[in-house]
Structure formats: structure tokens, C-alpha cells
Amino acid sequence: MCGIVGFTGRHEAAPILLEGLSKLEYRGYDSAGIAVRKGDTPVRIVKAKGRLKGLYEKTDSGKAMEGTCGIGHTRWATHGEPSENNAHPHCSDDMNVVAVHNGIIENYQELRDKLSRKGYTFYSQTDTEIVTKLVDYYYKKYNIGPIDAIAKTMVRVRGSYALAIMFKDYPGHIWVARKDSPMVIGVTDGECYVASDVPAMLSYTRNVYYIDNLEMADLGNGEVHFYNLDGDEVKKELTEITWDAEAAEKGGFEHFMMKEIHEQPKAIRDTFNSVVKDGRIDLSSVGLTDDIIKDISQVIIVACGSAYHTGMVDQYVMEEFARIPVRVELASEFRYRNPILNPNDLVVIVSQSGETADSLAALREAKAQGIRTLGIVNVVGSSIAREADNVFYTLAGPEIAVATTKAYSTQLICGYLLALQFAYVRGTMDEERYLSLIAEVASIPEKIEKIIEDKERLQFIAARLANSQDVFFIGRGIDYAISMEGSLKMKEISYIHSEAYAAGELKHGTISLIEDGTIVISVATQDDLYEKTKSNMVEVKSRGAFIVGITHYGNFEIENTANYSIYVPKLDTHFMASLAVVPLQLLGYYVSIGRGLDVDKPRNLAKSVTVE
Ligand code: F6R
């Protein structure tokens, strides 16, 4: 949620800040602002409500704001409506302190009351203005330097934050602080960058520092110094980012989502090849030895949104292959329900960003109980990747579209490979099947390529869907898990109400919603459940539903029931989610386009949910 950038160096800051914000717009886009300073002249702040375009216009693409040091922000509103007044940067009354913030300050009301008693007034409804003024208050009250003033503030606030701050007395310097909100710092050629996420600085540098929780940093004169809460300097290692800048660009596609759908075969191959050598799985890079795998008594998969849907697939696949109990839980529920965990359990946290607040809290809850944790994570160096005992990286590269596609697909691959390795090591699968199923997973990218080649056909049915009020997705077993993801893809980018149901549940209530013309998308890829799902299709069809059936080639008689059929290549049924999801992603995309919506930045959403 919210994107932060900062730059201090020799070049003009404003264009760099605007470009950085354009790379972070997926994190929030209801308003944006920048603060720039030329030498020791006063800081200038410009803000605009709505998309970044407005800020570009107001600043003449940055040309209207001179100065080589500045901070910027693109906002996803938490405290206070989206408005210019509530947009960041915020400042103390005398512009002594200017700051941008990502996160939520939980005790903001108490701090606001305290500062009001000290004579501060407030012009916005944001918690950020309160933190900014608290820093100013400590700075002046104790007559201390920026690090001490920020440290005092960090001790006093509760919640999560990534802060970038400028002080009137320190031209050319940016101070940053972090707790539970991501932030990276880059240095190159005597210039310093800070941002919520790597793509914002990729065109300038690939050498970054990760600032840890409850740490601060001082950026200036081409150097970065890190400090802990005691104000002691902390040494850090530079990390090289291996993504290239192009991976974070649209590369000729109209939207990131379409580009990322096309990148799925490569992302899957890369993830697969990272742990499969000579046709066998080797989890040594993940740190899961055979002895560890043999000792695990239960697997609990915890995640949010689409990542949770991959956990649903994993549950079916892993229980079936490895005969080990698998639970899958929503992180937002898990963290607050005092879960019962056993010493030999493995808690698997699945997260593209590695920063989702609920998933991170679930990880910490499991660790606090002394349970081994495994992160399936895309963003290298993210909080979950750093805090989990073991990490299985999805090599999807930067995912920019808010609606996930390639990260989801690579998360599935990690789940399959874990399930296969667990089964083999624990003796529930013989060598021949193990090797043939690994080869089956290896065939997925090529099959996805075939589905994508045929994508134009889906536009026909997307046109029919674009005018509907409601869409229902049904399926059984893994097809139910696929339906959940298909439904989320549809609703989040097309704003059409959609629901997914386990097909067998329909007659326990939902079927009363089916009337003439209601669209039902039936996912029927599981051969052993095919006849059952077909009966459910017949039930809704006889009540007037318009049925879109998704199955694999060969099941052509689905056309006797479905009004429109979509076929994907044949594959072992356990892995069918990887194929069936692709037409559903494409449908969501085309319906969104058909309705004239912003596919990559759906309303009210942000890519990385770093607040509860
Ligand atoms: C939907 C989507 C979200 C994320 C969820 C978890 O398309 O992208 O549902 O899957 O917010 O995010 P991560 O994986 O970053 O923890």
C-alpha cells in the first residue's frame, strides 16, 4: 500500500521522483505528491488528487520544481479520504520536517491529542501528518539530531511504517525509518535512492541495501549510514538485484497484466529449473533435507487472496501424493485465532510480495510458537523471505499488474514440487511415478503457450460476459480451487459480481439465484469428478443458466450441456489448475477491457497489502 520514493544527488530530483512513482503506482493511486529542495532553500511541495498524470501536469513533468533532493509518494488511502489535502508529503507547521509514509499508525488519535495539547494544529485527516509533527516535536523539545528524534518517534508510535523524511536544517539529506513496511535503498555513482520497491530505482541502480525493521538510515553526499534504535551505526551488505529494468516495463504489451500472462511459461520454467536437476527434485537451495521432510507431521498453508487459492490446490495435491494432513488458512484469520500448532508442523506462507501484513503476522505467530516456517515468496529480500526459516523463491520476476497471474502460476509449481518431493521422500510414491509426474510438470509451460496462442477466441465469450450482472463459477476438488481464482480474477478487474462455489454445494442455497441467462462458468478438468460436475451443470441449465464449460481436449461431449466450451490441453489432473487458470485470467482481462476499465490498476486495490 502506498509507494515511497526519495532521491538525493547531483541530478534534478523531481523527474527521478516522478519516474519512480510511476513504477510504484500499482501500490496506490488515489493521489500523489513530491517535495523537492534546491540547496538550502525552503522545500516546495506539490500534490495532486487522482492518478500520477495530474502531478506530472502540475509540475510540468518535474521541470517546474528545481532541486537535487526530494521525496515523493503515491497514496492508497487508509486514514482520510483521497484528497489533495490528505496526499503526502506532509509537513510540520513551519516546514521544519517534511515526510512521506507507508503504513498505519495505530495510536494516531492519542498522539494527535498529545500534540494538540502542545499547540500543534492539523490540516489533514492522516496519521502521517501526526508522525511528521511528532518528529518535529521531539527534534525541538530535546534539541537533538534527526536520528534521535526519529528514534524517539519510533518508540512512541504503534503500527507499521516506512518513512522518508527531510529536515530543514539538513539540506541534501533524506532520513528513513522502517517497521513492517518494505523499503530499499540504492546507491550509485555518488547518488542515493530510496523506494518502497525495487522497480522504482531499477533504471538507475541494481545495488541495494535492505533496511531492517526498527532501523533508520541517513542518505546524503552519496553515502548511506544505517542506525539501530539506540542510535548506533549498523553495517550492511549491498545486494545485487538480478531483474533487469526491462522486466518491469510493458515491453510492447498494452497492459502489464497481458504481458505477465504471456510471461507465465518462462516464469514457470525458471522456477521449475531452480530445483529440478536431471529430472529429479533437489530442495537443498530451499534448505529442506530428507530428514526434515520425514519428520513433518502436518503442513499448514497460510496466505491471502490468490496465494490462498494456490494453497487450496496444494492441499488437494499434497494430501493425495504424500498422504500428509494439510490445512489451508487465510492469514487474516489464522493470526487472530490462537491456532493449535504441533512441534513437528510446517507452516508454509505463500506470498508474491513477501510483505502482506497478515501473512507476515501469521509467519511471526508460527515462529513465536517455535514452528518451522517455509516462505514461498517472489520478492527477494522481502520481510517474509528474510524471516522465514526456509524460502522457496518463485522466479516470476517483478509482477506489476495488481491482479496476479505469473506469481500465482509459479506458486502452484512450488506447491507441486513440494508435494512430489514429500511423497517420494516419505515413501508414498514410487520412483517411476515420481519421475513421470516431474516430467508432467515440466510440460506445463509449453501447454500454456498453446492456450495463450489461442487467446483471441476468448474475446467472443468475454463480450457476452461484459454485460452480465453476476457470474458464478463452479467446480469440484481442484476445479473448485480453480473456480475461486477464476472468480477473483473476474470480479477484481471487471467489477462484475462473481462467486465461486463447490459444485456440490449449489443445491444447499445458491441455486435459488440462478435464473434465465445467469452465467455459470463450470470448471470440469478432474476426470474422476467430471460426471458429478456435469450433473450440476445440467441442474443449473434446466433453470435457465448460460453455461461456459472449461475442460480438457477429449471431453468434447461437454458441448451437449455447455452453451460455450473452452478446451485446454490434457495433463495429469493434479496439475490442471496451471492450465485451466489461464483462460480464466484471459477472460477477466478481456471483460475488463470490454467494460473500458483500467485493467492494471483496479479501483480500491493495491498490489501489496502491507496494512491489515
Ligand atoms: C489477486 C491478488 C491478491 C494477492 C493477495 C496476496 O489478484 O493478487 O489476492 O494474491 O493480496 O498478496 P501476496 O501474494 O503479495 O501476499
Side-chain angles (χ1 to χ4, degrees), residues 524-561:
T525 68
Q526 301 295 299
D527 290 338
D528 53 339
L529 297 167
Y530 181 73
E531 288 304 326
K532 303 267 174 216
T533 305
K534 225 177 66 190
S535 307
N536 300 125
M537 288 162 67
V538 172
E539 283 160 15
V540 289
K541 189 159 189 199
S542 61
R543 283 150 182 95
F546 178 95
I547 301 181
V548 179
I550 301 188
T551 189
H552 57 73
Y553 285 104
N555 277 343
F556 297 117
E557 55 75 50
I558 199 171
E559 290 173 23
N560 298 335
T561 319

Tab-separated table of all heavy atoms in Angstrom, residues 524-561:
chain	number	residue	atom	x	y	z
A	524	ALA	N	-14.386	-28.130	-15.251
A	524	ALA	CA	-14.562	-29.583	-15.189
A	524	ALA	C	-13.350	-30.293	-15.788
A	524	ALA	O	-13.417	-30.913	-16.837
A	524	ALA	CB	-15.834	-29.971	-15.939
A	525	THR	N	-12.213	-30.158	-15.094
A	525	THR	CA	-10.981	-30.765	-15.613
A	525	THR	C	-10.635	-32.060	-14.893
A	525	THR	O	-9.714	-32.757	-15.299
A	525	THR	CB	-9.785	-29.802	-15.424
A	525	THR	OG1	-9.508	-29.685	-14.025
A	525	THR	CG2	-10.050	-28.430	-16.003
A	526	GLN	N	-11.314	-32.349	-13.795
A	526	GLN	CA	-10.956	-33.517	-12.972
A	526	GLN	C	-11.745	-34.731	-13.444
A	526	GLN	O	-12.964	-34.819	-13.213
A	526	GLN	CB	-11.248	-33.215	-11.503
A	526	GLN	CG	-10.508	-32.007	-10.969
A	526	GLN	CD	-8.989	-32.211	-10.950
A	526	GLN	OE1	-8.486	-33.101	-10.278
A	526	GLN	NE2	-8.279	-31.393	-11.717
A	527	ASP	N	-11.061	-35.678	-14.082
A	527	ASP	CA	-11.767	-36.787	-14.725
A	527	ASP	C	-12.650	-37.572	-13.764
A	527	ASP	O	-13.774	-37.924	-14.100
A	527	ASP	CB	-10.766	-37.723	-15.401
A	527	ASP	CG	-10.136	-37.047	-16.614
A	527	ASP	OD1	-10.769	-36.093	-17.130
A	527	ASP	OD2	-9.033	-37.438	-17.026
A	528	ASP	N	-12.166	-37.801	-12.533
A	528	ASP	CA	-12.966	-38.626	-11.615
A	528	ASP	C	-14.207	-37.889	-11.108
A	528	ASP	O	-15.118	-38.506	-10.562
A	528	ASP	CB	-12.104	-39.131	-10.443
A	528	ASP	CG	-11.371	-38.005	-9.742
A	528	ASP	OD1	-11.199	-36.933	-10.353
A	528	ASP	OD2	-10.986	-38.185	-8.573
A	529	LEU	N	-14.255	-36.584	-11.267
A	529	LEU	CA	-15.401	-35.808	-10.767
A	529	LEU	C	-16.244	-35.241	-11.910
A	529	LEU	O	-17.242	-34.556	-11.678
A	529	LEU	CB	-14.898	-34.645	-9.890
A	529	LEU	CG	-14.143	-35.065	-8.630
A	529	LEU	CD1	-13.419	-33.876	-8.014
A	529	LEU	CD2	-15.103	-35.658	-7.609
A	530	TYR	N	-15.796	-35.550	-13.131
A	530	TYR	CA	-16.401	-34.932	-14.314
A	530	TYR	C	-17.911	-35.165	-14.388
A	530	TYR	O	-18.695	-34.222	-14.577
A	530	TYR	CB	-15.690	-35.469	-15.566
A	530	TYR	CG	-16.201	-34.896	-16.851
A	530	TYR	CD1	-15.905	-33.584	-17.208
A	530	TYR	CD2	-16.979	-35.656	-17.715
A	530	TYR	CE1	-16.378	-33.044	-18.393
A	530	TYR	CE2	-17.456	-35.122	-18.902
A	530	TYR	CZ	-17.150	-33.818	-19.234
A	530	TYR	OH	-17.628	-33.278	-20.396
A	531	GLU	N	-18.328	-36.429	-14.195
A	531	GLU	CA	-19.759	-36.745	-14.320
A	531	GLU	C	-20.578	-35.994	-13.277
A	531	GLU	O	-21.679	-35.527	-13.533
A	531	GLU	CB	-19.983	-38.258	-14.179
A	531	GLU	CG	-19.500	-39.057	-15.390
A	531	GLU	CD	-20.138	-38.604	-16.706
A	531	GLU	OE1	-21.310	-38.204	-16.696
A	531	GLU	OE2	-19.435	-38.615	-17.745
A	532	LYS	N	-20.017	-35.901	-12.060
A	532	LYS	CA	-20.715	-35.212	-10.963
A	532	LYS	C	-20.907	-33.735	-11.313
A	532	LYS	O	-21.979	-33.166	-11.152
A	532	LYS	CB	-19.910	-35.294	-9.659
A	532	LYS	CG	-19.594	-36.672	-9.215
A	532	LYS	CD	-20.666	-37.172	-8.262
A	532	LYS	CE	-20.425	-38.621	-7.917
A	532	LYS	NZ	-21.639	-39.392	-7.776
A	533	THR	N	-19.824	-33.118	-11.789
A	533	THR	CA	-19.916	-31.693	-12.121
A	533	THR	C	-20.902	-31.493	-13.271
A	533	THR	O	-21.657	-30.521	-13.292
A	533	THR	CB	-18.523	-31.133	-12.508
A	533	THR	OG1	-17.641	-31.427	-11.435
A	533	THR	CG2	-18.542	-29.642	-12.751
A	534	LYS	N	-20.870	-32.443	-14.210
A	534	LYS	CA	-21.793	-32.325	-15.346
A	534	LYS	C	-23.253	-32.353	-14.860
A	534	LYS	O	-24.093	-31.598	-15.347
A	534	LYS	CB	-21.535	-33.435	-16.357
A	534	LYS	CG	-21.521	-32.866	-17.763
A	534	LYS	CD	-21.200	-33.901	-18.796
A	534	LYS	CE	-22.336	-34.921	-18.831
A	534	LYS	NZ	-22.034	-36.102	-19.625
A	535	SER	N	-23.538	-33.177	-13.851
A	535	SER	CA	-24.908	-33.198	-13.305
A	535	SER	C	-25.264	-31.817	-12.757
A	535	SER	O	-26.380	-31.331	-12.921
A	535	SER	CB	-25.026	-34.190	-12.145
A	535	SER	OG	-24.576	-35.417	-12.544
A	536	ASN	N	-24.298	-31.156	-12.097
A	536	ASN	CA	-24.574	-29.816	-11.570
A	536	ASN	C	-24.790	-28.819	-12.705
A	536	ASN	O	-25.614	-27.901	-12.596
A	536	ASN	CB	-23.430	-29.339	-10.677
A	536	ASN	CG	-23.204	-30.260	-9.492
A	536	ASN	OD1	-22.107	-30.758	-9.270
A	536	ASN	ND2	-24.266	-30.527	-8.733
A	537	MET	N	-24.081	-29.027	-13.806
A	537	MET	CA	-24.296	-28.144	-14.968
A	537	MET	C	-25.717	-28.320	-15.491
A	537	MET	O	-26.409	-27.344	-15.821
A	537	MET	CB	-23.283	-28.478	-16.079
A	537	MET	CG	-21.863	-28.033	-15.745
A	537	MET	SD	-20.599	-28.841	-16.766
A	537	MET	CE	-20.927	-28.175	-18.363
A	538	VAL	N	-26.139	-29.585	-15.554
A	538	VAL	CA	-27.495	-29.852	-16.053
A	538	VAL	C	-28.529	-29.187	-15.130
A	538	VAL	O	-29.497	-28.562	-15.582
A	538	VAL	CB	-27.736	-31.377	-16.160
A	538	VAL	CG1	-29.191	-31.685	-16.490
A	538	VAL	CG2	-26.807	-31.979	-17.205
A	539	GLU	N	-28.285	-29.270	-13.822
A	539	GLU	CA	-29.218	-28.670	-12.847
A	539	GLU	C	-29.375	-27.167	-13.077
A	539	GLU	O	-30.482	-26.627	-13.061
A	539	GLU	CB	-28.706	-28.889	-11.420
A	539	GLU	CG	-28.942	-30.290	-10.888
A	539	GLU	CD	-28.024	-30.630	-9.710
A	539	GLU	OE1	-27.409	-29.703	-9.126
A	539	GLU	OE2	-27.908	-31.824	-9.420
A	540	VAL	N	-28.253	-26.478	-13.283
A	540	VAL	CA	-28.377	-25.020	-13.461
A	540	VAL	C	-28.896	-24.686	-14.862
A	540	VAL	O	-29.633	-23.712	-15.027
A	540	VAL	CB	-27.061	-24.252	-13.166
A	540	VAL	CG1	-26.746	-24.238	-11.695
A	540	VAL	CG2	-25.879	-24.778	-13.952
A	541	LYS	N	-28.551	-25.539	-15.825
A	541	LYS	CA	-29.028	-25.271	-17.184
A	541	LYS	C	-30.560	-25.361	-17.221
A	541	LYS	O	-31.243	-24.539	-17.851
A	541	LYS	CB	-28.426	-26.258	-18.171
A	541	LYS	CG	-28.754	-25.846	-19.590
A	541	LYS	CD	-27.827	-26.425	-20.588
A	541	LYS	CE	-28.116	-25.767	-21.929
A	541	LYS	NZ	-27.612	-26.543	-23.026
A	542	SER	N	-31.105	-26.341	-16.511
A	542	SER	CA	-32.559	-26.506	-16.545
A	542	SER	C	-33.256	-25.343	-15.833
A	542	SER	O	-34.462	-25.195	-15.908
A	542	SER	CB	-32.954	-27.847	-15.934
A	542	SER	OG	-32.541	-27.868	-14.604
A	543	ARG	N	-32.494	-24.513	-15.123
A	543	ARG	CA	-33.077	-23.314	-14.502
A	543	ARG	C	-32.723	-22.053	-15.289
A	543	ARG	O	-32.826	-20.947	-14.775
A	543	ARG	CB	-32.623	-23.214	-13.055
A	543	ARG	CG	-33.391	-24.189	-12.175
A	543	ARG	CD	-32.608	-24.683	-10.974
A	543	ARG	NE	-33.419	-25.642	-10.231
A	543	ARG	CZ	-33.357	-26.973	-10.391
A	543	ARG	NH1	-32.525	-27.493	-11.270
A	543	ARG	NH2	-34.131	-27.768	-9.687
A	544	GLY	N	-32.223	-22.264	-16.494
A	544	GLY	CA	-32.031	-21.126	-17.403
A	544	GLY	C	-30.609	-20.616	-17.520
A	544	GLY	O	-30.356	-19.650	-18.253
A	545	ALA	N	-29.642	-21.212	-16.802
A	545	ALA	CA	-28.275	-20.679	-16.827
A	545	ALA	C	-27.654	-20.791	-18.215
A	545	ALA	O	-27.952	-21.719	-18.968
A	545	ALA	CB	-27.409	-21.439	-15.817
A	546	PHE	N	-26.784	-19.820	-18.509
A	546	PHE	CA	-25.951	-19.873	-19.715
A	546	PHE	C	-24.609	-20.420	-19.244
A	546	PHE	O	-23.930	-19.797	-18.424
A	546	PHE	CB	-25.803	-18.474	-20.309
A	546	PHE	CG	-24.923	-18.419	-21.524
A	546	PHE	CD1	-25.486	-18.478	-22.802
A	546	PHE	CD2	-23.530	-18.292	-21.408
A	546	PHE	CE1	-24.669	-18.417	-23.930
A	546	PHE	CE2	-22.717	-18.234	-22.532
A	546	PHE	CZ	-23.294	-18.293	-23.800
A	547	ILE	N	-24.237	-21.600	-19.763
A	547	ILE	CA	-23.058	-22.279	-19.193
A	547	ILE	C	-21.830	-22.177	-20.082
A	547	ILE	O	-21.882	-22.466	-21.279
A	547	ILE	CB	-23.362	-23.766	-18.942
A	547	ILE	CG1	-24.547	-23.870	-17.964
A	547	ILE	CG2	-22.149	-24.486	-18.366
A	547	ILE	CD1	-24.923	-25.266	-17.609
A	548	VAL	N	-20.732	-21.753	-19.455
A	548	VAL	CA	-19.430	-21.816	-20.110
A	548	VAL	C	-18.697	-22.993	-19.459
A	548	VAL	O	-18.487	-22.993	-18.239
A	548	VAL	CB	-18.638	-20.508	-19.887
A	548	VAL	CG1	-17.264	-20.596	-20.559
A	548	VAL	CG2	-19.416	-19.303	-20.403
A	549	GLY	N	-18.352	-23.985	-20.243
A	549	GLY	CA	-17.671	-25.160	-19.679
A	549	GLY	C	-16.188	-25.115	-19.999
A	549	GLY	O	-15.799	-24.796	-21.122
A	550	ILE	N	-15.354	-25.410	-18.987
A	550	ILE	CA	-13.907	-25.493	-19.235
A	550	ILE	C	-13.456	-26.907	-18.923
A	550	ILE	O	-13.646	-27.392	-17.804
A	550	ILE	CB	-13.121	-24.510	-18.346
A	550	ILE	CG1	-13.586	-23.083	-18.624
A	550	ILE	CG2	-11.616	-24.645	-18.572
A	550	ILE	CD1	-12.759	-22.022	-17.956
A	551	THR	N	-12.874	-27.551	-19.903
A	551	THR	CA	-12.375	-28.905	-19.683
A	551	THR	C	-11.173	-29.132	-20.587
A	551	THR	O	-10.697	-28.192	-21.230
A	551	THR	CB	-13.505	-29.940	-19.917
A	551	THR	OG1	-13.040	-31.214	-19.495
A	551	THR	CG2	-13.948	-30.000	-21.373
A	552	HIS	N	-10.662	-30.376	-20.609
A	552	HIS	CA	-9.513	-30.615	-21.482
A	552	HIS	C	-9.976	-31.217	-22.812
A	552	HIS	O	-11.094	-31.742	-22.915
A	552	HIS	CB	-8.476	-31.521	-20.798
A	552	HIS	CG	-9.015	-32.840	-20.355
A	552	HIS	ND1	-9.335	-33.857	-21.231
A	552	HIS	CD2	-9.306	-33.307	-19.118
A	552	HIS	CE1	-9.780	-34.891	-20.557
A	552	HIS	NE2	-9.791	-34.586	-19.275
A	553	TYR	N	-9.102	-31.127	-23.811
A	553	TYR	CA	-9.422	-31.702	-25.119
A	553	TYR	C	-9.767	-33.176	-24.933
A	553	TYR	O	-9.154	-33.863	-24.124
A	553	TYR	CB	-8.232	-31.562	-26.086
A	553	TYR	CG	-8.084	-30.147	-26.601
A	553	TYR	CD1	-7.088	-29.305	-26.115
A	553	TYR	CD2	-8.977	-29.641	-27.549
A	553	TYR	CE1	-6.968	-28.003	-26.574
A	553	TYR	CE2	-8.866	-28.333	-28.007
A	553	TYR	CZ	-7.868	-27.519	-27.512
A	553	TYR	OH	-7.762	-26.238	-27.960
A	554	GLY	N	-10.746	-33.639	-25.631
A	554	GLY	CA	-11.173	-35.038	-25.492
A	554	GLY	C	-12.559	-35.097	-24.882
A	554	GLY	O	-13.388	-35.908	-25.291
A	555	ASN	N	-12.833	-34.207	-23.929
A	555	ASN	CA	-14.157	-34.181	-23.295
A	555	ASN	C	-15.150	-33.379	-24.148
A	555	ASN	O	-15.872	-32.527	-23.609
A	555	ASN	CB	-14.063	-33.539	-21.901
A	555	ASN	CG	-13.618	-34.533	-20.849
A	555	ASN	OD1	-13.683	-35.745	-21.077
A	555	ASN	ND2	-13.180	-34.024	-19.708
A	556	PHE	N	-15.193	-33.667	-25.435
A	556	PHE	CA	-15.975	-32.806	-26.335
A	556	PHE	C	-17.472	-32.879	-26.076
A	556	PHE	O	-18.209	-31.979	-26.427
A	556	PHE	CB	-15.678	-33.145	-27.801
A	556	PHE	CG	-14.237	-32.882	-28.152
A	556	PHE	CD1	-13.391	-33.910	-28.540
A	556	PHE	CD2	-13.725	-31.593	-28.083
A	556	PHE	CE1	-12.063	-33.661	-28.840
A	556	PHE	CE2	-12.394	-31.336	-28.382
A	556	PHE	CZ	-11.563	-32.372	-28.756
A	557	GLU	N	-17.896	-33.976	-25.433
A	557	GLU	CA	-19.344	-34.070	-25.224
A	557	GLU	C	-19.832	-33.063	-24.166
A	557	GLU	O	-21.020	-32.935	-23.938
A	557	GLU	CB	-19.781	-35.503	-24.935
A	557	GLU	CG	-19.094	-36.199	-23.800
A	557	GLU	CD	-19.589	-35.706	-22.469
A	557	GLU	OE1	-20.809	-35.677	-22.297
A	557	GLU	OE2	-18.753	-35.342	-21.625
A	558	ILE	N	-18.912	-32.270	-23.585
A	558	ILE	CA	-19.341	-31.194	-22.681
A	558	ILE	C	-20.263	-30.227	-23.452
A	558	ILE	O	-21.108	-29.543	-22.876
A	558	ILE	CB	-18.118	-30.438	-22.075
A	558	ILE	CG1	-18.570	-29.672	-20.820
A	558	ILE	CG2	-17.466	-29.504	-23.087
A	558	ILE	CD1	-17.453	-29.073	-20.005
A	559	GLU	N	-20.074	-30.223	-24.795
A	559	GLU	CA	-20.867	-29.301	-25.625
A	559	GLU	C	-22.354	-29.639	-25.590
A	559	GLU	O	-23.194	-28.788	-25.915
A	559	GLU	CB	-20.335	-29.304	-27.066
A	559	GLU	CG	-18.967	-28.637	-27.110
A	559	GLU	CD	-18.257	-28.720	-28.455
A	559	GLU	OE1	-18.940	-28.895	-29.475
A	559	GLU	OE2	-17.023	-28.620	-28.460
A	560	ASN	N	-22.699	-30.882	-25.168
A	560	ASN	CA	-24.124	-31.227	-25.048
A	560	ASN	C	-24.785	-30.429	-23.926
A	560	ASN	O	-25.995	-30.215	-23.923
A	560	ASN	CB	-24.296	-32.725	-24.738
A	560	ASN	CG	-23.747	-33.565	-25.869
A	560	ASN	OD1	-23.692	-33.089	-27.010
A	560	ASN	ND2	-23.341	-34.785	-25.568
A	561	THR	N	-23.990	-29.989	-22.961
A	561	THR	CA	-24.552	-29.267	-21.812
A	561	THR	C	-24.162	-27.787	-21.829
A	561	THR	O	-24.985	-26.915	-21.549
A	561	THR	CB	-24.051	-29.896	-20.479
A	561	THR	OG1	-24.064	-31.310	-20.623
A	561	THR	CG2	-24.912	-29.470	-19.317
